[in-house]
Amino acid sequence: KNETTMSSITQPTTIITEEAIKTVLPPTLYRLTEALPKTELDVIIREARACEDALEKEIELLEWEIGIDQQSKKRKLNDDGNDNGTANSNNSPEQLVEPSIAIPLLPTPYQPGGGAINYLEDVQQILGTDFSPPDRYFTVSALLGRLRIPLKLPATTSAAAASAAAASSGTTVAKSKKEELEAEKKAKQLRLSFEKQQALLTLDQNDIYHQEHTETTTLLALWKRISSHRTSAVFRKPVNPLEAPGYQERILFPIDLSLIRKMIVCRMIKSYAGFHRCVGLICHNCVKFNGRESDYSALTRDFEDNVDEKVLEAVRNASAAAAAKAAAESKAVAAATGGAGGAAAAVPPVAGAAAAAGASGAA
């Protein structure tokens, strides 16, 4: 878990700098893993080590090709030639078990269960594909694929090249008023998205977010608002393994909105935090199975964005209601205390007046 202080995360941001993103990115990745079972986290750790190992080898090949420290790089590659490509043996003695499902267009070393070599051994192959070692490892890809703007990964090589070519082919003209408004609108959307990520990080510090509800009405109402959204249609029922071959092999902990409702009713989910994390597991599974660049993953990001918004709204409203209730109770107590004190203070003068009146009558 990143040790960044919450004060640096919650500072208002007008311009989204690279440093600001670096501050928010690690705790955001940590937040996305909170819903994952320990077994899934263990897989992520082993896959991350395997990815790092493969990426280092490809970087070494590229550096060697352009003449950076050729001899030492070549020697190191020869020394590592018998490495199984699954993980650093010093860091992870366990064998990484991969599903045996082929993915179209993915180079063989990047295919799940594609063999001991998990990196491309030819520089031209590395430069000629948009894929990379993380595409072989579904849990790591799922974690990266759930990132929202402006934290998401940059576009693939071909997409960036196509965009640059389209921009260079046109005549450079001054921006029109419409283009300026569009740019301003996009900048505002990026800022709001970044602020939402900051707000999500502060949720963990809110007692209302973790408070257990004594009844199911509130959580079921939140479930209904989320389930009725247009992006939730594919998540309302369990995935049919016949319609998604390999799903049972790749997804260790299947979950859907109908199951989450049952968990609320039977009191397995009692808080906003528990609800939020279970929905996060739905998103993780979808991106993990379909790949982070698929249409389903794009739909998942929209779905999760709506879920985050609804949870933030629910926690804000509950916090405001709790604060208002506490203020009203405090005011009532103060009024009762003040009234009792005033009555007690008023007794002696009245009694004194009565006594004086009695004395006067007797005289």
Side-chain angles (χ1 to χ4, degrees), residues 91-110:
N91 294 330
S92 180
E94 298 182 57
Q95 181 72 17
L96 180 59
V97 179
E98 300 178 75
S100 56
I101 304 169
I103 301 177
L105 304 179
L106 203 62
T108 300
Y110 296 160

Side-chain angles (χ1 to χ4, degrees), residues 16-337:
I16 304 172
T17 63
E18 185 176 348
E19 288 302 318
I21 291 178
K22 286 181 179 179
T23 301
V24 173
L25 184 56
T28 297
L29 289 170
Y30 182 84
R31 180 182 65 81
L32 294 179
T33 64
E34 286 186 319
L36 305 183
K38 184 178 182 301
T39 303
E40 192 80 354
L41 292 175
D42 290 339
V43 174
I44 285 183
I45 292 170
R46 294 199 297 273
E47 286 191 359
R49 288 170 178 162
C51 283
E52 185 176 14
D53 181 69
L55 287 167
E56 285 179 349
K57 286 182 169 60
E58 290 191 355
I59 290 171
E60 288 170 355
L61 285 169
L62 293 170
E63 289 181 342
W64 185 75
E65 180 70 16
I66 61 177
I68 298 178
D69 200 9
Q70 287 190 4
Q71 294 303 318
S72 63
K73 296 294 182 186
K74 184 176 181 180
R75 191 183 311 113
K76 189 175 190 306
L77 286 172
N78 290 335
D79 292 341
D80 293 344
N82 295 325
D83 188 72
N84 61 14
T86 57
N88 188 317
S89 59
N90 294 328
N91 294 330
S92 180
E94 298 182 57
Q95 181 72 17
L96 180 59
V97 179
E98 300 178 75
S100 56
I101 304 169
I103 301 177
L105 304 179
L106 203 62
T108 300
Y110 296 160
Q111 289 285 357
I117 304 299
N118 63 345
Y119 61 96
L120 296 177
E121 300 178 280
D122 181 74
V123 171
Q124 295 305 318
Q125 282 185 306
I126 296 173
L127 300 177
T129 180
D130 288 337
F131 298 102
S132 62
D135 291 297
R136 174 171 176 164
Y137 303 104
F138 298 106
T139 50
V140 169
S141 294
L143 187 61
L144 300 176
R146 289 170 61 193
L147 294 177
R148 301 295 306 179
I149 295 173
L151 305 181
K152 70 176 185 178
L153 299 178
T156 58
T157 307
S158 61
S163 177
S168 62
S169 62
T171 305
T172 303
V173 295
K175 286 187 177 181
S176 65
K177 185 66 176 177
K178 182 178 180 181
E179 289 174 330
E180 290 178 355
L181 291 174
E182 286 295 326
E184 184 178 345
K185 181 180 179 181
K186 184 177 180 181
K188 182 178 179 181
Q189 289 175 339
L190 287 174
R191 179 175 56 80
L192 292 175
S193 178
F194 188 76
E195 290 174 354
K196 180 186 286 189
Q197 295 297 330
Q198 292 176 310
L200 289 168
L201 291 175
T202 61
L203 270 182
D204 199 50
Q205 311 298 318
N206 192 321
D207 292 337
I208 298 294
Y209 182 62
H210 298 281
Q211 183 179 13
E212 292 190 357
H213 295 248
T214 56
E215 39 75 35
T216 61
T217 306
T218 304
L219 290 177
L220 286 177
L222 176 60
W223 176 90
K224 186 174 181 179
R225 287 198 297 273
I226 289 172
S227 182
S228 60
H229 193 264
R230 59 177 178 78
T231 59
S232 67
V234 298
F235 305 112
R236 291 172 188 158
K237 295 180 180 180
V239 174
N240 185 347
L242 298 179
E243 297 176 357
Y247 190 85
Q248 291 178 318
E249 183 184 8
R250 191 180 303 177
I251 303 303
L252 304 178
F253 303 94
I255 189 172
D256 62 278
L257 288 173
S258 67
L259 179 57
I260 287 179
R261 189 183 189 283
K262 294 175 183 176
M263 293 171 72
I264 294 173
V265 171
C266 70
R267 305 288 290 151
M268 291 182 67
I269 297 176
K270 302 179 183 179
S271 65
Y272 290 124
F275 177 87
H276 202 187
R277 288 168 183 169
C278 286
V279 176
L281 183 56
I282 292 180
C283 301
H284 173 82
N285 287 345
C286 185
V287 180
K288 178 180 178 179
F289 180 74
N290 294 287
R292 67 175 184 265
E293 300 299 334
S294 66
D295 292 338
Y296 275 110
S297 294
L299 177 67
T300 300
R301 286 188 284 272
D302 290 340
F303 170 71
E304 189 166 18
D305 190 45
N306 175 64
V307 171
D308 291 340
E309 185 63 41
K310 292 293 190 293
V311 171
L312 284 169
E313 180 184 359
V315 173
R316 280 196 298 264
N317 292 340
S319 299
K325 182 179 179 182
E329 291 176 350
S330 177
K331 185 177 180 180
V333 170
T337 304

